[in-house]
Amino acid sequence: MGNLADLRSEAVGCTRCALAGGRTQVVFGVGDPRASLMFVGEGPGRDEDLAGEPFVGRSGKLLDKLMAQEMGLDRSRCYIANVVKCRPPLNRDPLPAEIQACRPFLDAQIELIDPAVVVTLGNFATRLLLGVTDGIGTLRGRSYRFANGHLVPTYHPAAALRGGAEIVAAMRADLVRAASLLTASAR
Ligand code: URA
């Protein structure tokens, strides 16, 4: 296994699935490669495809706000990646074949960064990393042992933007849970 820079170079040239044909940029990931906290979203939207950075649109603004308010962190202190690195057309859900084609990149990112806590945002990241098919509403509200640390599932910020106060409150509680696990793992 190489390093994150090598992995990024490989991703930038990737043509393993059809999403390669529609992308402006590969959205590989952003943040501190040595972070103990990692967020995993679904896939780039229009803003991310143009910027080449995950979560820079409306969902990202909400994520930044909740991260700051509940964890006292900004994005430079964590690492943020997605299940698929290229934008699905018209923001449709990523297809199973696209998720599988991209999975080696996410697995390698997790192995190289080796975070103490992974927060999965929404159904796609949570189901993929936990290897289950339940929905996020069922899976969230607790933590799971994952890799060398813990996984905390929460709603995708886009669901919070659509769903309102209850979803935002649940996300806040999940981020507080993640912050406690981070503190405990730092001892
Ligand atoms: N939604 C995601 O899942 N990821 C992004 O990077 C942006 C929006």
Side-chain angles (χ1 to χ4, degrees), residues 27 40-49 53-60 80-84 121 156-158:
V27 181
V40 182
E42 181 180 321
R46 189 176 63 97
D47 295 327
E48 292 76 20
D49 174 68
E53 180 173 332
F55 284 102
V56 293
R58 283 183 71 220
S59 289
I80 310 178
N82 281 309
V83 167
V84 295
L121 301 165
H156 193 285

Side-chain angles (χ1 to χ4, degrees), residues 3-187:
N3 57 33
L4 268 187
D6 292 341
L7 195 65
R8 177 189 290 272
S9 305
E10 197 185 328
V12 163
C14 178
T15 54
R16 287 181 203 175
C17 82
L19 294 183
R23 72 183 175 222
T24 309
Q25 297 192 62
V26 171
V27 181
F28 177 69
V30 72
D32 179 357
R34 299 182 53 194
S36 48
L37 172 67
M38 181 167 172
F39 288 91
V40 182
E42 181 180 321
R46 189 176 63 97
D47 295 327
E48 292 76 20
D49 174 68
L50 293 173
E53 180 173 332
F55 284 102
V56 293
R58 283 183 71 220
S59 289
K61 301 280 176 276
L62 178 60
L63 181 63
D64 285 345
K65 182 174 101 175
L66 297 179
M67 203 194 302
Q69 291 179 349
E70 304 304 336
M71 310 185 80
L73 293 175
D74 66 56
R75 61 171 57 208
S76 70
R77 306 266 311 275
C78 59
Y79 193 88
I80 310 178
N82 281 309
V83 167
V84 295
K85 312 303 191 212
C86 298
R87 183 192 184 199
L90 304 171
N91 296 343
R92 66 154 167 75
D93 290 346
L95 301 174
E98 293 159 356
I99 293 171
Q100 286 316 317
C102 216
R103 179 159 198 174
F105 290 116
L106 180 61
D107 286 344
Q109 283 172 310
I110 293 169
E111 199 165 334
L112 287 164
I113 294 160
D114 194 21
V117 178
V118 174
V119 176
T120 50
L121 301 165
N123 277 320
F124 285 90
T126 307
R127 287 174 174 156
L128 182 70
L129 294 185
L130 289 181
V132 298
T133 55
D134 298 320
I136 187 63
T138 304
L139 294 167
R140 66 153 295 277
R142 53 163 289 198
S143 63
Y144 300 78
R145 295 293 314 186
F146 175 75
N148 295 319
H150 303 271
L151 186 149
V152 177
T154 193
Y155 290 107
H156 193 285
L161 288 170
R162 284 193 305 269
E166 233 175 87
I167 306 278
V168 174
M171 279 190 83
R172 288 187 186 278
D174 294 332
L175 295 186
V176 169
R177 180 174 295 105
S180 305
L181 287 165
L182 271 179
T183 306
S185 67
R187 285 203 189 105

